[in-house]
Amino acid sequence: MAIVDEAWGFSEHLQPPALAEFALRLYTAGSLAGSRFAAVTAGEHGVDALLFGRAGSGERFRTEFSGPSGRLRTLRTLLTLRGLAIGDKLGWIRDITRHESRRARIQPIGHGEVTLFAAAKAARGKGYGRRLMDAYVDHCRGLGIDRVTLETDVESSYGFYDHYGFSVVGEFVSPMNQRFSGGSGRSFVYELHL
Ligand SMILES: CC(C)(COP(=O)(O)OP(=O)(O)OC[C@H]1O[C@@H](n2cnc3c(N)ncnc32)[C@H](O)[C@@H]1OP(=O)(O)O)[C@@H](O)C(=O)NCCC(=O)NCCS
């Protein structure tokens, strides 16, 4: 979660702190709950980089956000969160729903989908991200998956994907990302044919 917070600035963008903490947990453990692949590179200071992804039809990782009970818990936690106006809570739910439906119009979430990918700032540019992506792509190929997809936005390091050989299959404006960063919300769906 420290790597994810450093990469996207949950504590910086979201107020009150309880919302930042909950959203960070949801983004990290929620991504893992949707995944069947998880790999990290680690050195003497702990984890340097991580990649979670959907892959085939095996067992998913179980977290507090897994399954229908996880969805219910998410909704209940958000709705009972202190220090956030009810209008803002409903605004988040509306914008997440819009984000999901705009994304689905471009391309439904595939069997090989990267759900979370980040490296600690101090560990970037050392080849860890490429190593993790190679491992994920190989894993998907071994399962007979013919393409890897992912979603990213203009606030993220999307240049990595262009460089790696992914191409953009569609673009959309995400009200969720706009609300999060205060930016344009410009978001992309990328794919890589295996
Ligand atoms: C994306 C990210 C995980 C890459 O990890 P990394 O360990 O720094 O990447 P690597 O060192 O393995 O780089 C591999 C190659 O991609 C290139 N690359 C890395 N980031 C790049 C970027 N933002 N734009 C263009 N090229 C990039 C490197 O130059 C390197 O090229 P080479 O192999 O030809 O020498 C890291 O930048 C990050 O955590 N960013 C913040 C979180 C994020 O935006 N995640 C992904 C979007 S959802």
Side-chain angles (χ1 to χ4, degrees), residues 51-54 103 107 112-117 129-130 132-138 140-141 145-152 157-170 188-194:
L51 189 153
F52 302 160
R54 294 169 194 270
R103 155 66 205 264
Q107 189 190 56
E113 168 100 6
V114 177
T115 55
L116 191 61
F117 179 42
R130 181 182 282 281
L132 288 175
M133 189 59 79
D134 287 347
Y136 179 59
V137 164
D138 282 351
C140 287
R141 206 177 269 125
I145 292 170
D146 61 0
R147 66 179 177 175
V148 164
T149 55
L150 59 90
E151 181 193 309
T152 186
S157 309
Y158 59 91
F160 175 95
Y161 302 119
D162 296 310
H163 189 73
Y164 193 89
F166 280 80
S167 46
V168 175
V169 286
F188 316 99
V189 177
Y190 273 88
E191 74 176 8
L192 177 76
H193 285 272
L194 307 187

Side-chain angles (χ1 to χ4, degrees), residues 3-171:
I3 290 177
V4 172
D5 197 19
E6 192 186 45
W8 286 284
F10 281 77
S11 339
E12 211 177 292
H13 288 302
L14 299 180
Q15 283 297 328
L19 174 65
E21 196 267 333
F22 170 64
L24 178 59
R25 243 177 45 231
L26 175 63
Y27 195 65
T28 312
S31 299
L32 190 59
S35 300
R36 294 180 165 101
F37 175 96
V40 302
T41 60
E44 57 183 292
H45 304 298
V47 173
D48 288 320
L50 59 95
L51 189 153
F52 302 160
R54 294 169 194 270
S57 55
E59 197 62 12
R60 283 198 186 97
F61 290 95
R62 284 209 64 78
T63 78
E64 62 187 304
F65 300 107
S66 295
S69 59
R71 280 202 162 245
L72 261 180
R73 184 175 303 118
T74 304
L75 208 58
R76 198 181 57 219
T77 308
L78 181 61
L79 289 174
T80 56
L81 203 105
R82 285 165 190 250
L84 189 68
I86 184 69
D88 288 331
K89 292 174 179 173
L90 297 176
W92 273 108
I93 294 169
R94 185 194 61 221
D95 290 347
I96 292 169
T97 310
R98 282 188 186 155
H99 173 104
E100 285 174 353
S101 75
R102 288 182 191 183
R103 155 66 205 264
R105 256 181 258 144
I106 293 175
Q107 189 190 56
I109 290 176
H111 285 302
E113 168 100 6
V114 177
T115 55
L116 191 61
F117 179 42
K121 272 189 184 152
R124 289 186 198 161
K126 296 181 177 172
Y128 300 141
R130 181 182 282 281
R131 200 183 302 168
L132 288 175
M133 189 59 79
D134 287 347
Y136 179 59
V137 164
D138 282 351
H139 181 75
C140 287
R141 206 177 269 125
L143 293 171
I145 292 170
D146 61 0
R147 66 179 177 175
V148 164
T149 55
L150 59 90
E151 181 193 309
T152 186
D153 77 324
V154 76
E155 309 287 337
S156 302
S157 309
Y158 59 91
F160 175 95
Y161 302 119
D162 296 310
H163 189 73
Y164 193 89
F166 280 80
S167 46
V168 175
V169 286
E171 204 179 308

